[in-house]
Amino acid sequence: MSLAVDPRLAPEEPARGLRVFRSILRGEAMLPRKRRTLPRPAILLELVCHALMGTALGLSVGLLLTFVDNFGIARLIAHSSTPHQTFAILIGMVTLPFSVGATLTGFVFTMMEER
């Protein structure tokens, strides 16, 4: 049984690794850039814009439902025990799904655009 090491099995990585390290130190080779883990500030601004658009749309739909009395909602609010609170809750419950939906849709559009 021979104790000689087969030269085909001997690793050449230390010498190659040292060459790569020296070339990096000299500025000859650059490591690949990693993707940013934090989102760009422009993405956050786009999400805020989508949230505001959804809020405006939901608010307009809610106010349209209450001021145009085709559905009888204004009469129901007027005859409730606390009409101001009922009005505020109704407007909030109509506005919230619109703003959340627009924000999530804007997030999906922005992420698809980034790819």
Side-chain angles (χ1 to χ4, degrees):
M1 184 161 171
S2 173
L3 295 176
V5 178
D6 187 5
R8 292 177 294 177
L9 300 177
E12 293 183 18
E13 286 301 315
R16 181 178 177 271
L18 188 59
R19 283 194 311 264
V20 170
F21 180 71
R22 284 182 184 157
S23 66
I24 290 172
L25 287 179
R26 287 184 295 217
E28 295 173 359
M30 296 292 292
L31 294 175
R33 294 188 69 178
K34 293 183 180 178
R35 292 186 69 183
R36 294 181 70 170
T37 56
L38 294 175
R40 294 180 308 145
I43 293 174
L44 298 176
L45 182 64
E46 288 180 22
L47 289 180
V48 168
C49 288
H50 281 280
L52 287 175
M53 284 188 283
T55 302
L57 184 63
L59 190 60
S60 62
V61 168
L63 290 174
L64 186 70
L65 280 175
T66 55
F67 289 141
V68 176
D69 201 22
N70 289 341
F71 304 106
I73 295 175
R75 281 183 298 221
L76 289 173
I77 292 173
H79 289 79
S80 68
S81 60
T82 55
H84 293 292
Q85 186 177 6
T86 307
F87 177 74
I89 290 173
L90 177 72
I91 295 298
M93 293 303 292
V94 170
T95 303
L96 185 65
F98 277 93
S99 60
V100 170
T103 305
L104 291 176
T105 304
F107 178 73
V108 169
F109 286 161
T110 305
M111 290 299 114
M112 293 298 291
E113 197 173 272
E114 286 292 315
R115 294 179 95 200

